[in-house]
Amino acid sequence: MREQLRIAAGEPLGYGQTAIAFRGAAIEARLYAEDPANDFLPVTGTLAAFEPAGAPAVRWDSGVTTGSVVGTRFDPMLAKVIAHAPTRSEAAGRLALALERLHLGGMVTNRDFLAAILRSPAVAAGDTTTDFIERTRPAPALQVSD
């Protein structure tokens, strides 16, 4: 915040690029009640289960629980899930595993689609661009609700 105020006042940054150290990689995925097989259209219903696994350790930012109703009055985002690891490939794998281990039921989501993307060789190589989905066509396994 201090640096933002300094820049807004016309002052230079208080440090240079060489003062910034990288400590691994972080990747975020947004879990939605949407159907990837139907042009990612939103899905409504009641979550019969929503229980993140204890491992791997990732950050779950979510406002839903088992029994939550996903309707049409709000965005169908169920959670933002963030993984951090020493490398991009490890972070992607950790995030995919966390999504796969999520006990989730009652409605279709983009979970398996996200896991397929995170496990693709293109993501591990950092080859992600705005045409990624069209270019790589990740194919998740069929999701079965509990």
Side-chain angles (χ1 to χ4, degrees), residues 69-114:
V69 175
V70 179
T72 58
R73 297 185 68 192
F74 298 100
D75 186 313
M77 184 167 47
L78 303 176
K80 287 191 260 184
V81 190
I82 305 103
H84 181 268
T87 67
R88 176 186 180 84
S89 180
E90 289 173 282
R94 181 174 289 171
L95 184 52
L97 185 58
L99 288 166
E100 291 162 349
R101 288 184 173 172
L102 167 66
H103 181 60
L104 177 68
M107 56 195 332
V108 174
T109 70
N110 66 341
R111 175 190 56 188
D112 295 337
F113 182 78
L114 293 172

Side-chain angles (χ1 to χ4, degrees), residues 25-63:
I27 298 180
E28 174 184 311
R30 293 178 180 218
L31 179 65
Y32 273 87
E34 64 183 13
D35 187 355
N38 192 17
D39 292 326
F40 298 92
L41 288 174
V43 176
T44 59
T46 301
L47 285 169
F50 188 87
E51 300 167 18
V58 296
R59 177 176 167 170
W60 289 88
D61 290 343
S62 179

